[in-house]
Amino acid sequence: MAAFWHQRGRRQENGRLGSVIDGLGSVFDVLLANARLVLGVSGAAVLAIATLAVKRLIDRATSPRDEGDPKAEQKSLEESWQDLALIKTTPKPPKKQRREDLSEPVLSPALPLVPGEALNARGCSAPVGAPQVRSSPLRCLTLQEQLLSHSSQLAVPEIQVSLVPQLARSICTQLQNFLRSKCPELPFGRLFLSGALLDGLQVLAADHIHLMLPVVLDAGLWSLIPGEDTVVRNPQYWMIKRIDLGYFPRGCSPWDRFIVGRYLSSNVLNETLHKLLVASINWPAIGGLLGCAIHPVVASRELKLEVKHDQVELSITLFPVVETEGKVLLAVPPEGLVENLWLESFYRAEVSRVKELDAGDSGARQLCLRILNGVCRSQPSLQKLGGSPVTNAILHLSDTASDWPEESLADRFQQVLEELVASLEKGVLPSYFNPKINLLSGLLEEEIDEMGFVLYRALSEPEVLLK
């Protein structure tokens, strides 16, 4: 009995729905009969296609189907999506031109037309009277063209190129005068600037620069101990040992006050300079004289100044540096309990070698380096790979690929990516000037994996790094 009432209810519902559909059908017929008079031939064709699709949707919705057949339901859904696609792709009738529009030029569409786009799904030609707009095909840039275009976007604004060194030199002069008056017993050398901006390798913005403070040691009182011969076993660091204490007792050298366990402590020297920068120098007065605001960074382990000018914001990092026995050592101790270590810097040698190679074959190594530095700076996961690691990868590649003309920039760019990916896979990127040093040793395993994934993806699509 329940099944009977269910079937009866469905028949009544279908009957009412059928009468509604018959009414809609008669309305559609009237519209189609008068469409040619109102809309013209093309408009009537558009309305006929849309009406047919809507009627097919309604007929399918009301037609009985086998409830136990899931394929029938799936087929009905697929046909409905096809009908909706037919409605969406139905060409719109051309807009009737106004008299004032006839004097305006016809603009090209936002997207270029492909051959055959004027044909609809049934192979019919475009409506008569539609404007025939011919647009040039979209030009695909090669990787070489994309790299050259991207390099032009990395240029530092001219105002910063001229203003930042001038501002940094003025601060350098003020700091030099202060150290000579406050610490006349310490033989500091003449401060000088360093960094990618001065070497033409800075990209995007001149927002940081290095200030080098030479520490002049007494000849015959100090000697270098390789870091690999100490408990740290790290060839990247050195120790500066005080010698001949029997003949020249403690106090003979002005730097003896910074000794910890017979070694010149980079940490103690940095702490002393940090106190001077934060508490002893009148930076507001110096900033007012130079037309900027200068603030020492109190919480940083580095000796850093933040400079705010109307046209630039600049970070200046001060590095005490010892140059002896052909080594350039920076007072940058590693994190941990060891505080007497000095970091060997190869920056000057690396940049000089790159420029020397480019001068020998009119190469594009510096251009490739700028592009890769820009990529590493714009990609958060690659920021620790910029600078020295990329420079060393280019130098290693230059030993096997000696020809670097600008025409081969794309090939060399991809080869550098391959060199970096291979190094990240092994977790080893040896320094060009000291193969015992692994430039990836300071990175976490997760950071190496993320860098390797990004660059491995870029091997097949290097364009993703330039976006």
Side-chain angles (χ1 to χ4, degrees):
M1 180 65 69
F4 170 77
W5 286 109
H6 179 69
Q7 293 291 339
R8 182 178 178 183
R10 288 186 59 183
R11 283 198 299 270
Q12 290 178 353
E13 183 180 353
N14 291 340
R16 289 194 297 269
L17 188 57
S19 61
V20 173
I21 293 173
D22 292 340
L24 288 175
S26 61
V27 172
F28 290 152
D29 293 337
V30 173
L31 288 176
L32 291 175
N34 295 278
R36 181 172 299 184
L37 297 176
V38 178
L39 303 176
V41 177
S42 60
V46 172
L47 181 60
I49 294 173
T51 303
L52 177 60
V54 173
K55 289 181 69 176
R56 284 171 61 185
L57 286 172
I58 296 175
D59 291 341
R60 190 170 295 111
T62 58
S63 61
R65 66 177 184 272
D66 189 359
E67 296 180 354
D69 187 7
K71 294 184 179 180
E73 184 177 357
Q74 180 67 23
K75 182 178 179 182
S76 176
L77 287 174
E78 292 176 356
E79 291 175 350
S80 299
W81 284 113
Q82 292 174 2
D83 292 339
L84 288 176
L86 178 64
I87 295 175
K88 290 182 179 181
T89 56
T90 302
K92 295 183 180 180
K95 182 180 178 181
K96 187 176 180 181
Q97 291 183 335
R98 298 176 300 175
R99 181 173 300 176
E100 55 269 25
D101 293 338
L102 297 177
S103 61
E104 297 180 358
V106 179
L107 300 178
S108 300
L111 295 176
L113 296 176
V114 297
E117 190 178 3
L119 300 179
N120 57 23
R122 300 190 178 188
C124 299
S125 60
V128 179
Q132 300 293 330
V133 181
R134 183 176 299 175
S135 62
S136 59
L138 190 62
R139 183 168 177 260
C140 248
L141 295 178
T142 63
L143 178 59
Q144 176 82 8
E145 292 171 330
Q146 292 183 51
L147 289 172
L148 293 176
S149 175
H150 186 73
S151 66
S152 63
Q153 301 173 12
L154 299 174
V156 179
E158 288 295 332
I159 183 63
Q160 296 184 13
V161 173
S162 59
L163 177 61
V164 167
Q166 177 183 353
L167 188 60
R169 287 189 182 96
S170 299
I171 296 175
C172 179
T173 301
Q174 296 294 328
L175 183 57
Q176 183 87 65
N177 295 335
F178 171 81
L179 291 175
R180 286 177 178 174
S181 61
K182 185 72 174 180
C183 310
E185 74 282 2
L186 296 178
F188 287 113
R190 186 174 184 82
L191 286 158
F192 62 93
L193 302 181
S194 179
L197 177 63
L198 301 178
D199 296 313
L201 299 175
Q202 184 68 31
V203 293
L204 296 175
D207 52 2
H208 65 276
I209 200 167
H210 296 158
L211 190 57
M212 316 304 287
L213 176 61
V215 176
V216 182
L217 299 180
D218 310 273
L221 297 184
W222 306 90
S223 67
L224 298 183
I225 307 297
E228 56 189 328
D229 294 341
T230 65
V231 293
V232 295
R233 301 295 180 187
N234 192 335
Q236 198 168 3
Y237 290 92
W238 293 76
M239 300 183 78
I240 304 176
K241 185 178 181 180
R242 177 71 157 84
I243 60 175
D244 291 338
L245 286 175
Y247 294 98
F248 302 98
R250 189 164 180 164
C252 292
S253 172
W255 303 108
D256 286 345
R257 57 187 284 195
F258 302 104
I259 288 179
V260 174
R262 295 189 63 180
Y263 294 95
L264 182 62
S265 174
S266 55
N267 193 47
V268 174
L269 178 59
N270 278 336
E271 288 179 353
T272 302
L273 291 173
H274 189 272
K275 292 177 182 178
L276 292 176
L277 290 178
V278 173
S280 300
I281 303 179
N282 189 355
W283 290 116
I286 295 176
L289 180 66
L290 302 179
C292 62
I294 306 174
H295 302 283
V297 181
V298 179
S300 176
R301 293 180 70 247
E302 298 178 316
L303 305 174
K304 185 175 292 187
L305 301 173
E306 297 292 343
V307 182
K308 292 186 178 180
H309 190 271
D310 292 339
Q311 296 174 308
V312 69
E313 291 188 5
L314 177 63
S315 174
I316 299 178
T317 306
L318 177 66
F319 290 104
V321 55
V322 171
E323 296 189 41
T324 181
E325 300 182 16
K327 305 290 189 300
V328 179
L329 307 178
L330 304 181
V332 184
E335 296 184 7
L337 298 178
V338 182
E339 58 181 19
N340 298 333
L341 296 177
W342 293 70
L343 176 68
E344 184 173 8
S345 172
F346 298 98
Y347 173 79
R348 189 186 305 169
E350 291 166 357
V351 173
S352 299
R353 181 59 178 164
V354 170
K355 291 184 176 182
E356 179 185 351
L357 291 172
D358 271 354
D361 60 4
S362 300
R365 294 172 185 83
Q366 296 175 75
L367 177 59
C368 186
L369 180 56
R370 281 196 298 270
I371 294 174
L372 286 168
N373 282 339
V375 167
C376 292
R377 181 169 181 172
S378 60
Q379 298 270 349
S381 60
L382 300 178
Q383 287 181 355
K384 292 186 178 180
L385 199 62
S388 184
V390 171
T391 306
N392 280 266
I394 291 177
L395 290 176
H396 285 303
L397 183 59
S398 297
D399 287 342
T400 56
S402 57
D403 192 16
W404 283 68
E406 188 175 293
E407 294 76 17
S408 65
L409 175 62
D411 295 333
R412 296 292 181 256
F413 180 82
Q414 290 186 297
Q415 288 176 344
V416 176
L417 294 182
E418 293 173 0
E419 184 87 15
L420 291 172
V421 169
S423 299
L424 290 168
E425 286 178 347
K426 296 181 293 185
V428 177
L429 177 57
S431 169
Y432 184 80
F433 292 98
N434 187 354
K436 296 179 182 179
I437 297 176
N438 178 17
L439 298 177
L440 303 181
S441 62
L443 299 177
L444 300 176
E445 186 177 351
E446 295 79 8
E447 294 173 333
I448 292 178
D449 290 341
E450 188 174 3
M451 292 177 184
F453 173 75
V454 173
L455 295 181
Y456 182 78
R457 240 184 79 199
L459 290 180
S460 57
E461 297 179 81
E463 298 85 1
V464 299
L465 297 177
L466 308 179
K467 295 180 180 179

